[in-house]
């Protein structure tokens, strides 16, 4: 078990491939104190994603994050409490609503990208992180320039490091979610974030222009539970932090991968640029984003802990273990994706992604709430970037996949030279 855990944390992909070669499309892994039945067959993935949410618990597997996200977080809840929070959060994330954010996303992207240096090598991922944080602050929190934006930004940055820096998340894992809360350094970081977020919620409750605002916090203030009651401050705080935690690094990393892959395929980059400059429909851009999320999914696995025994693919799996649809293996199935290691946006031009064969956002009632938001944001940022700047890789060798705390990033954070 310690051996599998060690290999998992450093060489997850090799381990997955080796196990699939040896055992087929279902195999068991023991990671930390957990047992996972890893699934690579789209039919089995479908069974999990369409299964009864009271049998397939996703929230339980995220309990580790509770001290950071809070007891009402969509990520850590299951069954009825999960569905009731999800009902409140879904409307603001509906695909059609994304148009409302286009102008603000484009304005932020244009301004940030303009400020990135030319002619020298540097890592793009931290810049993408700053960009996606700015977009979340404006569209999700609804904070405008000057309204305490700087203070909130600094506090949230420190908070995000706890979640995304492996050296900082490790103590949370080692000490456990209950004891970490009592440590002074942890309390200090959380207290500051809480103070600023609760102040923001209070100010928004008093705002006189609530109906005219289209940020997500303002919509949550107007949202009602099934019994007609409004969301409490504590619920709103937990969901705001959840959206930030789930949406910030994932999108920034996917954007970095898109650039890392594109700049090593100049002909594809040129095709994308031509489409963007012509102001045509985003056909190639959409396919590029889909292919990036297929080949370099930033999260490689999703988990559902079983509350009762379940049969999958002829195996009787016991309650208490987790089934783990492997995004990574599903996306590399050569029958669905010929030449699976190649970066080919073209493969999606005539074949839209399948519900159970393209799963970078998971699936079923736990499918990523921000899937439309993230793809829309990626499109806005990439369009702006290829229109404004020339891009070439800083080093000739493609970047390897590197596991940070949760996400899988380019080993050197997408080092490029812009012109
Ligand atoms: C490219 C960017 C992103 C990727 C690859 C991604 C991926 C994922 C994945 C794999 C899950 C778990 C799904 C499952 O268990 O079936 C998830 C859940 C979630 N994501 Fe994302 N995500 C991204 C961006 C975002 C954004 C921008 C937001 C919000 C602003 C967001 C909010 C959430 C939330 C709230 C959940 C929990 C849903 C639930 O449990 O009901 N994500 N995401």
């Amino acid at each position: 078990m310690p051996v599998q855990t060690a290999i998992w944390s450093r060489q997850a992909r090799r381990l997955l491939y080796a196990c699939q070669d040896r055992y087929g499309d279902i195999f068991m892994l023991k990671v930390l104190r957990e047992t996972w039945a890893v699934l690579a067959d789209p039919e089995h993935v479908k069974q999990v994603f369409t299964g009864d949410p009271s049998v397939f618990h996703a929230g339980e597997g995220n309990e580790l994050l509770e001290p950071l996200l809070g007891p009402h977080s969509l990520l850590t809840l299951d069954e009825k409490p999960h569905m009731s929070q999800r009902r409140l959060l879904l409307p603001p994330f509906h695909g059609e609503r994304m148009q409302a954010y286009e102008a603000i996303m484009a304005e932020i992207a244009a301004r940030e990208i303009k400020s990135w240096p030319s002619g020298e090598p540097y890592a793009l991922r931290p810049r993408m992180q700053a960009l996606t944080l700015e977009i979340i602050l404006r569209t999700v929190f609804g904070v405008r320039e000057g309204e305490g934006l700087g203070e909130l930004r600094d506090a949230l940055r420190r908070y995000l490091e706890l979640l995304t820096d492996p050296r900082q998340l490790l103590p949370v894992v080692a000490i456990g979610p209950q004891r970490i809360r009592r440590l002074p350094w942890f309390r200090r970081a959380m207290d500051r974030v809480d103070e600023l977020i609760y102040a923001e919620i209070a100010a928004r409750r008093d705002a006189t222009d609530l109906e005219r605002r289209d940020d997500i916090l303002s919509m949550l203030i107007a949202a009602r539970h099934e019994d007609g009651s409004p969301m409490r401050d504590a619920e709103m705080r937990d969901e705001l932090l959840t959206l930030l935690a789930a949406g910030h690094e994932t999108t920034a990393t996917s954007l970095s991968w898109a650039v890392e892959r594109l700049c090593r395929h100049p002909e594809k980059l040129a095709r994308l640029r031509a489409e963007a400059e012509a102001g045509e429909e985003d056909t190639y851009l959409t396919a590029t984003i889909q292919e990036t999320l297929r080949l370099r999914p930033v999260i490689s696995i999703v988990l559902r802990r079983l509350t009762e025994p379940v049969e999958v693919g002829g195996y009787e799996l016991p309650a208490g273990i987790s089934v783990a649809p492997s995004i990574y293996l599903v996306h590399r199935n050569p029958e669905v994706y010929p030449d699976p290691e190649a970066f080919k946006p073209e493969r999606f031009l005539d074949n839209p992604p399948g519900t159970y064969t393209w799963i970078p956002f998971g699936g079923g009632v736990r499918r990523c709430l921000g899937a439309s938001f993230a793809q829309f944001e990626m499109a806005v940022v990439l369009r702006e970037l290829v229109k404004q700047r020339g891009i070439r890789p800083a080093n000739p060798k493609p970047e390897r996949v590197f596991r940070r705390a949760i996400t899988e990033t380019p080993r050197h954070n997408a080092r490029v030279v812009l012109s």
Side-chain angles (χ1 to χ4, degrees):
M1 181 173 95
V3 177
Q4 286 190 356
T5 303
I7 304 179
W8 173 256
S9 59
R10 282 279 143 250
Q11 307 231 351
R13 278 154 308 280
R14 263 176 66 183
L15 183 65
L16 289 171
Y17 258 157
C19 290
Q20 191 187 29
D21 270 354
R22 192 145 170 201
Y23 305 108
D25 281 345
I26 301 188
F27 53 85
M28 303 296 235
L29 277 186
K30 284 195 187 291
V31 176
L32 294 171
R33 284 174 287 276
E34 306 279 322
T35 304
W36 297 350
V38 178
L39 309 178
D41 182 330
E43 275 306 311
H44 303 154
V45 171
K46 179 176 180 185
Q47 183 189 344
V48 171
F49 285 166
T50 56
D52 180 349
S54 68
V55 176
F56 297 94
H57 273 188
E60 233 182 286
N62 291 330
E63 65 201 347
L64 201 70
L65 298 176
E66 210 214 275
L68 289 158
L69 302 176
H72 308 287
S73 163
L74 197 61
L75 275 168
T76 58
L77 294 172
D78 278 305
E79 299 191 36
K80 245 181 130 181
H82 169 257
M83 278 323 278
S84 105
Q85 285 305 111
R86 194 164 162 109
R87 246 193 73 252
L88 295 168
L89 286 165
L90 270 174
F93 282 98
H94 198 272
E96 285 159 22
R97 284 219 67 262
M98 295 307 120
Q99 309 300 331
Y101 302 130
E102 178 157 17
I104 186 88
M105 285 180 179
E107 178 201 311
I108 293 171
R111 189 184 63 213
E112 294 276 323
I113 292 168
K114 201 170 276 166
S115 76
W116 296 347
S118 290
E120 55 182 271
Y122 55 91
L124 208 55
R125 198 175 61 83
R127 312 235 168 208
M128 288 294 189
Q129 302 244 101
L131 200 169
T132 58
L133 178 59
E134 219 54 32
I135 288 182
I136 289 193
L137 281 168
R138 297 286 294 276
T139 56
V140 175
F141 288 68
V143 185
R144 295 170 185 168
E145 215 64 64
E147 291 174 342
L149 184 62
E151 256 185 314
L152 185 61
R153 186 194 290 126
D154 292 344
L156 291 179
R157 265 208 200 119
R158 273 195 298 280
Y159 164 79
L160 283 165
E161 277 167 19
L162 288 176
L163 264 168
T164 56
D165 182 339
R167 282 163 309 183
Q168 301 208 30
L169 191 65
L170 200 65
V172 183
V173 180
I175 298 170
Q178 298 315 323
R179 279 161 58 207
I180 190 89
R181 275 180 246 263
R182 291 185 228 129
L183 297 183
W185 64 268
F186 184 81
R187 271 280 27 117
R188 269 198 303 278
M190 291 309 294
D191 284 351
R192 182 68 182 140
V193 166
D194 284 353
E195 187 190 326
L196 292 170
I197 292 193
Y198 282 125
E200 198 57 46
I201 296 173
R204 200 66 52 79
R205 284 200 193 279
D206 290 340
T208 49
D209 61 346
L210 209 56
E211 319 78 75
R212 273 175 282 123
R213 300 183 68 129
D214 50 22
D215 59 88
I216 285 163
L217 172 56
S218 298
M219 294 181 70
L220 293 184
I221 286 180
R224 291 293 174 266
H225 285 285
E226 265 156 326
D227 65 3
S229 62
M231 282 177 87
R232 285 172 292 124
D233 285 4
E235 287 173 90
M236 259 185 256
R237 174 262 183 213
D238 291 1
E239 300 313 358
L240 285 174
L241 286 183
T242 299
L243 296 173
L244 174 75
H248 159 258
E249 192 179 72
T250 44
T251 313
T253 304
S254 300
L255 276 164
S256 308
W257 273 125
V259 177
E260 193 279 340
R261 289 292 74 205
L262 274 170
C263 68
R264 290 190 163 76
H265 297 82
E267 73 297 346
K268 301 189 195 300
L269 179 58
R271 181 167 177 185
L272 187 64
R273 179 170 292 129
E275 180 186 89
E277 281 172 351
E280 288 166 6
E281 258 192 60
D282 293 326
T283 321
Y284 198 71
L285 177 58
T286 305
T288 301
I289 292 167
Q290 288 164 342
E291 176 66 346
T292 302
L293 292 168
R294 179 195 72 83
L295 188 61
R296 293 289 185 266
V298 293
I299 293 173
S300 61
I301 213 155
V302 293
L303 296 172
R304 304 286 187 266
R305 197 175 290 167
L306 301 179
T307 60
E308 53 184 66
V310 172
E311 197 216 292
V312 182
Y315 293 91
E316 179 79 5
L317 304 175
I321 74 159
S322 293
V323 284
S326 166
I327 299 175
Y328 182 78
L329 290 177
V330 168
H331 285 184
R332 276 169 169 70
N333 182 339
E335 281 166 31
V336 185
Y337 302 109
D339 196 5
E341 292 299 332
F343 177 69
K344 285 187 191 163
E346 292 73 13
R347 63 172 98 236
F348 287 110
L349 286 179
D350 298 318
N351 301 305
T355 313
Y356 304 107
T357 51
W358 186 78
I359 53 168
F361 296 106
V365 295
R366 306 303 297 231
R367 184 167 192 267
C368 174
L369 193 79
S372 297
F373 187 96
Q375 290 170 93
F376 192 81
E377 177 176 351
M378 285 179 74
V380 170
V381 174
L382 283 176
R383 195 188 298 122
E384 194 58 41
L385 179 62
V386 299
K387 278 201 320 202
Q388 256 194 49
R389 314 294 291 264
I391 315 166
R392 64 180 170 84
N395 310 306
K397 260 175 80 177
E399 292 193 27
R400 294 182 32 189
V401 179
F402 174 73
R403 157 75 67 85
R404 273 170 60 87
I406 297 169
T407 55
E408 307 213 334
T409 62
R411 183 71 186 94
H412 304 293
N413 296 315
R415 282 176 65 78
V416 291
V417 179
L418 300 188
S419 53

